[in-house]
Amino acid sequence: MPVEYKNIVPWGRSFREYVDMFHLSDEDLDRTIPGCGDGPASFNCEMTRQGNSVISVDPIYNFDRDAIKKRIDEIYVEVLEQTRANRDKFVWENISSVEELGGIRMESMKLFLDDFECGKQQGRYVAGELPELPFKGDSFDMVLVSHLLFLYSEQLSLEFHLRAIDELLRVAGEVRIFPLLDLNSRRSLHVDEVIDYVAEKGYLVREEKVKYEFQKGGNRMLRVVRS
Ligand SMILES: C[S@@+](CC[C@H](N)C(=O)[O-])C[C@H]1O[C@@H](n2cnc3c(N)ncnc32)[C@H](O)[C@@H]1O
């Protein structure tokens, strides 16, 4: 049975996972960073606690805490079931079981939920979505996109990906995207076309190996630099 979600699910990873997925250095963490599609990840909460600044943008921030929590609780069982049925597509080293995965993700999402209302008031959680972000051009140094583009290649067309890349490069000089695989751990059909598209525009584009790997073979990020 393939991994299949009708919609893009809110599912949250931690600060440590973001650091490993995007190969973030201490210098990177000092840059102005938006996380696009951060959903219920605890990256924003943990960055803020460490004194770093980050803005997360996601359509689920249109909802209040309770509505987001309800949605997380609804999809939690489904995500664990799909992961269990596709156990062979994942690397069970740092996380040793589906149950442990559930616990770790819920911990991150709880950090997010407890931070959400306050962070929204502070302007750290902004409702918005690709392909049109609610930011002025060149607002940030580097934008991170985790588990949205490429992963949801069936739900999001190539045209959407190209518009999204243009938009991300409008608001930031550098874009990092992870992973390059789709939900079934195959290289996304859009990756090479996106690489050709940005290379033709004269941007620096590079696939980089990172030390994070949970989906088997999912240990590469795409880095695109405009300036
Ligand atoms: C699988 S979650 C990933 C959350 C987080 N980035 C992480 O890696 O833990 C995908 C997120 O993308 C958000 N999303 C869906 N469509 C989007 C769009 N067009 N623009 C920005 N975010 C979107 C969803 O609301 C969801 O929170």
Side-chain angles (χ1 to χ4, degrees):
M1 179 182 108
V3 180
E4 231 166 20
Y5 296 111
K6 254 196 251 137
N7 301 304
I8 297 171
V9 297
W11 196 234
R13 290 163 190 81
S14 67
F15 169 79
R16 187 66 245 166
E17 291 180 284
Y18 267 63
V19 167
D20 290 344
M21 289 186 292
F22 294 111
H23 196 57
L24 296 173
S25 64
D26 288 345
E27 275 171 19
D28 287 333
L29 296 177
D30 284 339
R31 300 168 79 190
T32 51
I33 303 179
C36 182
D38 273 351
S42 57
F43 178 62
N44 189 315
C45 168
E46 294 181 84
M47 279 280 277
T48 306
R49 285 185 183 178
Q50 291 169 30
N52 296 310
S53 98
V54 62
I55 289 181
S56 297
V57 57
D58 196 296
I60 61 164
Y61 304 153
N62 278 309
F63 300 96
D64 66 14
R65 180 197 184 279
D66 291 348
I68 298 175
K69 181 174 185 319
K70 185 164 175 274
R71 181 78 186 111
I72 289 171
D73 291 342
E74 281 164 8
I75 61 101
Y76 177 82
V77 175
E78 186 192 347
V79 173
L80 290 202
E81 264 172 20
Q82 295 235 23
T83 308
R84 201 170 282 117
N86 288 277
R87 206 186 284 266
D88 58 320
K89 294 189 175 124
F90 299 91
V91 177
W92 298 102
E93 275 172 21
N94 293 333
I95 300 174
S96 60
S97 67
V98 174
E99 292 65 36
E100 189 186 344
L101 173 73
I104 289 173
R105 291 285 175 270
M106 279 313 254
E107 234 172 78
S108 290
M109 293 192 279
K110 184 169 182 326
L111 280 177
F112 159 80
L113 286 170
D114 291 346
D115 182 51
F116 178 61
E117 297 294 354
C118 163
K120 196 169 176 183
Q121 274 176 20
Q122 293 172 349
R124 289 189 284 113
Y125 294 109
V126 174
E129 63 187 296
L130 287 170
E132 276 177 41
L133 298 176
F135 304 121
K136 290 193 183 134
D138 274 323
S139 295
F140 308 99
D141 294 323
M142 172 175 65
V143 56
L144 307 177
V145 187
S146 158
H147 292 83
L148 171 62
L149 294 176
F150 300 135
L151 186 69
Y152 287 91
S153 282
E154 274 188 28
Q155 291 84 348
L156 304 172
S157 66
L158 173 63
E159 195 205 342
F160 179 92
H161 276 71
L162 299 182
R163 284 187 66 196
I165 286 282
D166 279 337
E167 179 65 355
L168 293 162
L169 286 165
R170 181 185 70 77
V171 302
E174 178 171 341
V175 178
R176 297 187 193 182
I177 305 173
F178 181 94
L180 308 188
L181 304 184
D182 65 19
L183 284 169
N184 283 291
S185 302
R186 297 168 302 216
R187 183 177 169 86
S188 157
L189 291 176
H190 303 326
V191 174
D192 293 321
E193 306 222 37
V194 166
I195 289 176
D196 289 347
Y197 179 75
V198 290
E200 255 174 46
K201 293 194 164 203
Y203 302 144
L204 178 77
V205 54
R206 220 168 42 207
E207 263 186 63
E208 289 180 24
K209 192 167 178 212
V210 295
K211 69 176 182 187
Y212 185 93
E213 182 177 356
F214 183 51
Q215 279 183 295
K216 269 188 195 161
N219 58 357
R220 299 175 87 77
M221 72 157 171
L222 193 70
R223 185 202 293 250
V224 185
V225 181
R226 170 170 56 80
S227 54

